[in-house]
Amino acid sequence: MPLQPEISPLELRGRGMTSQRTRDRMVDRLARQGIRDERVLNVMAQAPRHLFVDEALAHHAYEDASLPIGFGQTLSQPLTVARMTELILREAPKRVLELGTGSGYQTLVLSSLVDELYSLERIQILHERAVQRLARLKVQANLAVADGNHGWPDAAPFDVILLTACAQTLSSELLEQLRDGGVLIAPIEDSSGSQWLTQVRRVGSVYEKRRLEPVRFVPLLQGVVN
Ligand code: SAH
């Protein structure tokens, strides 16, 4: 992979629609929308979301919207990222697995809040772009290309498994990679086609499912794209 130059302070800080003032306004909005965890608000006030989308879209990066990242995939809207991060932090997790690295923005947000972060992406090019962005920001995370339906057996068990793509069913192979007491947080589609943010807690060999709120995500697919 070609080496990327160090990120310039100007690029990192942004200007105009990508400036600190714009990030602060996004965070004020998140607080009004019900995000209470100061750690989440602080991290999102710092995270340069404008570097995780195409340059032509950078000035939309802090709007209350999901954004295209190529290959028919999307970077979730800020509220969704904040909400999922808040749910994860309730678990005081050490080791977290994310399925669906995408742009790498959710990975960036989580990286300073958990001890060990693993993230899988099925589309090789999206993975490579995320690796480059995160390396330039000196983010510590373990990224790989794989079909997340199989989890990351060598790194299991996890305190939290987060899906950023919508599943229809969850494999036992994946659920068994949760530690006892751990939770999986995922958009799951019901039989009528509606998506619900869902929390599944492992209690021994029992998996307790709780529906949280309606959401809209791209689907969790099978296999990898090279
Ligand atoms: N967390 C991402 C959201 C990206 S959208 C971000 O912050 O940008 C969801 C991502 O999940 C897409 O990149 C898609 O390619 C990926 N995905 C879908 N099915 C997958 C699977 N089975 N394994 C791994 N990644 C998957």
Side-chain angles (χ1 to χ4, degrees), residues 56-158:
L57 290 173
H59 60 289
H60 293 297
Y62 297 99
E63 293 172 5
D64 196 4
S66 58
L67 293 169
I69 55 171
F71 303 90
Q73 306 306 316
T74 53
L75 164 55
S76 301
Q77 66 189 99
L79 179 59
T80 305
V81 174
R83 178 80 178 110
M84 293 199 300
T85 309
E86 202 170 54
L87 286 169
I88 290 170
L89 292 187
R90 274 192 208 162
E91 304 301 316
K94 291 199 161 54
R95 190 184 280 249
V96 174
L97 172 65
E98 175 190 23
L99 303 184
T101 315
S103 68
Y105 177 71
Q106 172 81 70
T107 319
L108 169 69
V109 168
L110 279 173
S111 65
S112 60
L113 299 169
V114 306
D115 291 351
E116 276 184 75
L117 182 57
Y118 296 81
S119 184
L120 294 174
E121 171 56 52
R122 67 183 282 276
I123 301 176
Q124 175 85 34
I125 297 177
L126 290 180
H127 160 81
E128 285 172 10
R129 288 180 188 158
V131 165
Q132 290 199 346
R133 287 185 185 116
L134 295 170
R136 290 177 82 198
L137 294 168
K138 303 199 169 27
V139 168
Q140 298 279 344
N142 305 285
L143 307 186
V145 176
D147 179 346
N149 286 292
H150 306 294
W152 195 323
D154 292 347
F158 299 100

